[in-house]
Amino acid sequence: MKKNELMQYSCPLGKAMSALGSKWKPIIVLVIKDRKLRFGELAVRIHVISRKVLTDQLREMEADGLVIREEFKEIPPRVEYSLTEKGLALLPILYLLEEWETKYHVYDPDKVKECGVNSKKIKKTVV
Amino acid sequence: MKKNELMQYSCPLGKAMSALGSKWKPIIVLVIKDRKLRFGELAVRIHVISRKVLTDQLREMEADGLVIREEFKEIPPRVEYSLTEKGLALLPILYLLEEWETKYHVYDPDKVKECGVNSKKIKKTVV
DNA sequence: CAGGATCCACATCGATACTG
DNA sequence: CAGTATCGATGTGGATCCTG
């Protein structure tokens, strides 16, 4: 997502969407939600995402002030992610979005496919 | 945005984001907001977006039940777009997002750049 | 006027291999 | 363990030209 192109027309909304407008960020926020998680735990919980992309997303979210990254200088390395106040403040809005989707949901088999977490399979069959 | 890959882990949120998770859709919703707009009017108001992409986005939003497309068989052609109930229901959430962004906004010159509508320039200089 | 069709450039994603 | 580096495939956006 080309962030810089988002900042136009409706500025605050543009910026908001640049902070969470990616595929993964809202989901990452929901996954971290209430407890610190290590990188590996995140990777397992959202294992449809490659580790590289997960890293990228987390870095951007850190830069956007959504998550806190704590690196422990240990062997083996340990890194824990948690939500900032800003990230936490996003939760109610995400819940509203879920409600909204649930309420106005029209079942469209072409779009819904499956909701399994094992997307490898989905991806292959869908694409 | 590969919509099909969004439907995992957190389903309702995934679907919600697939409906408005693109760069432009939230902005389009805000622009249409309270009155019907013709295609050309939309294109002018969001003139950073190419007409092709605007068309694509509107088509997807129509399929997602966010907007209504009314085509008048006239010469010259006229097409008017308006929000569905579902699209309207999204407005308060978008306003919350704006509030959220405004409240937690941290000024980061590397990210904010400009909020001008003339993004050609922005793009060139940024990239 | 509102687009459809093409073509091209560029980003982004995913897989793999490697490192401290 | 938690990344980084690299490469290739895929997707997406923009520009241009064409049509009813």
Side-chain angles (χ1 to χ4, degrees):
Chain A
M1 168 158 293
K2 290 168 273 181
K3 313 193 78 154
N4 298 313
E5 296 177 29
L6 277 171
M7 331 293 183
Q8 52 338 51
Y9 207 81
S10 171
C11 271
L13 188 59
K15 284 184 287 186
M17 290 308 291
S18 98
L20 60 88
S22 100
K23 277 199 285 225
W24 303 109
K25 287 171 186 175
I27 293 172
I28 293 174
V29 169
L30 277 198
V31 170
I32 301 186
K33 204 165 56 180
D34 38 22
R35 65 175 172 290
K36 287 185 183 182
L37 287 180
R38 302 181 56 168
F39 181 83
E41 298 178 295
L42 277 170
V44 168
R45 281 170 171 73
I46 323 177
H47 61 69
V48 292
I49 188 176
S50 73
R51 297 170 82 85
K52 176 197 166 217
V53 177
L54 180 55
T55 302
D56 295 344
Q57 299 289 303
L58 285 169
R59 290 279 189 276
E60 289 184 16
M61 293 169 75
E62 190 191 3
D64 286 332
L66 292 179
V67 302
I68 297 167
R69 195 185 108 103
E70 291 177 278
E71 187 172 356
F72 299 84
K73 293 295 187 182
E74 304 173 356
I75 306 283
R78 179 162 59 105
V79 178
E80 292 185 350
Y81 292 92
S82 52
L83 293 182
T84 62
E85 191 191 344
K86 180 175 180 178
L88 284 170
L90 204 52
L91 284 173
I93 301 180
L94 295 181
Y95 292 137
L96 280 179
L97 270 178
E98 288 191 333
E99 272 182 45
W100 170 79
E101 171 59 37
T102 305
K103 178 172 178 187
Y104 291 99
H105 174 239
V106 187
Y107 188 77
D108 179 348
D110 274 350
K111 297 203 164 229
V112 173
K113 308 292 179 190
E114 284 205 37
C115 284
V117 185
N118 50 343
S119 75
K120 300 272 182 184
K121 201 177 47 192
I122 292 180
K123 242 187 59 186
K124 302 307 183 197
T125 55
V126 164
V127 178
Chain B
M1 168 157 294
K2 291 169 273 181
K3 311 193 78 147
N4 298 313
E5 297 175 28
L6 277 171
M7 331 292 183
Q8 62 322 60
Y9 207 83
S10 169
C11 269
L13 188 59
K15 285 184 288 187
M17 290 308 291
S18 98
L20 61 87
S22 98
K23 277 198 287 224
W24 302 109
K25 288 171 186 172
I27 292 173
I28 293 174
V29 169
L30 277 197
V31 170
I32 300 185
K33 205 166 53 181
D34 38 22
R35 65 175 172 288
K36 288 185 183 180
L37 286 179
R38 302 181 57 167
F39 180 83
E41 297 178 298
L42 277 170
V44 168
R45 282 170 171 71
I46 324 179
H47 60 70
V48 292
I49 188 176
S50 72
R51 296 170 83 86
K52 174 198 168 215
V53 177
L54 180 55
T55 303
D56 296 344
Q57 300 289 302
L58 286 168
R59 290 281 188 275
E60 289 183 18
M61 293 170 75
E62 190 189 4
D64 286 330
L66 292 179
V67 303
I68 297 167
R69 195 186 107 105
E70 293 176 278
E71 187 172 353
F72 300 84
K73 294 295 187 182
E74 307 173 353
I75 306 283
R78 179 162 59 107
V79 178
E80 292 185 348
Y81 292 92
S82 52
L83 292 183
T84 63
E85 192 190 346
K86 181 176 180 180
L88 284 170
L90 203 52
L91 284 174
I93 302 181
L94 294 182
Y95 292 137
L96 281 179
L97 270 178
E98 289 192 332
E99 272 182 45
W100 169 80
E101 171 59 36
T102 305
K103 178 172 178 189
Y104 291 98
H105 174 240
V106 187
Y107 189 77
D108 179 348
D110 274 352
K111 298 207 160 226
V112 173
K113 308 289 181 192
E114 285 205 36
C115 284
V117 185
N118 50 341
S119 73
K120 300 272 183 185
K121 198 177 46 190
I122 292 179
K123 242 185 61 186
K124 301 307 183 198
T125 54
V126 164
V127 178

